Amino acid sequence: MPGELPATPVLETRRLILRPIRTEDAPAIQRNFERWEVVRLLTSRIPWPFPPDGAAANMPNALGEMARREQFHWAITLRGGTDVLIGYVNLWPDDGVSRDQRGFWLAPESRGRGLMGEAPS
């Protein structure tokens, strides 16, 4: 599977910029994953309660998947905003095992504005 995907591109919509995640996104991910209203909708592989260093500990894995071109990992940010992650999208090739080839979430305060309809979810 390594090398199957192209490099993670930057994607832009009218209101959003989806850029490859980076180490600096870990605090925003951590803040959101400490919220049951976010984690309850995700895969059961996300532990609850979420560990205090969970986002930072997982970041090398996600960055490695992008570097090996196994998965795409995007930070959802607002166009014209502060570039702070408000959500996340990841996509991966069909492995013949998983039911789905995507994962996504949006911070609760950013919901209800139709933003996920713009993101490639």
Side-chain angles (χ1 to χ4, degrees):
M1 184 151 87
E4 214 174 285
L5 299 173
T8 303
V10 173
L11 305 173
E12 299 185 25
T13 71
R14 185 174 59 85
R15 298 182 293 169
L16 302 174
I17 296 176
L18 281 72
R19 57 160 175 77
I21 60 159
R22 53 187 183 230
T23 302
E24 297 81 23
D25 293 321
I29 295 168
Q30 184 70 36
R31 279 191 304 276
N32 279 285
F33 274 33
E34 291 174 352
R35 302 163 78 176
W36 177 243
E37 61 195 305
V38 173
V39 174
R40 72 180 181 85
L41 301 172
L42 303 178
T43 175
S44 62
R45 291 178 299 185
I46 306 295
W48 185 259
F50 195 67
D53 64 344
N58 186 59
M59 189 59 70
N61 181 55
L63 294 173
E65 289 171 340
M66 285 193 318
R68 292 185 305 273
R69 298 186 177 183
E70 296 171 346
Q71 287 195 28
F72 295 121
H73 292 268
W74 286 281
I76 302 172
T77 65
L78 293 173
R79 179 183 288 283
T82 61
D83 195 41
V84 172
L85 177 148
I86 62 165
Y88 196 101
V89 175
N90 67 313
L91 301 172
W92 57 91
D94 185 356
D95 60 8
V97 177
S98 302
R99 191 181 90 220
D100 208 348
Q101 286 76 48
R102 65 187 175 151
F104 56 92
W105 58 267
L106 192 63
E109 60 274 5
S110 296
R111 295 178 187 166
R113 301 182 343 203
L115 295 173
M116 286 310 284
E118 289 185 36
S121 58

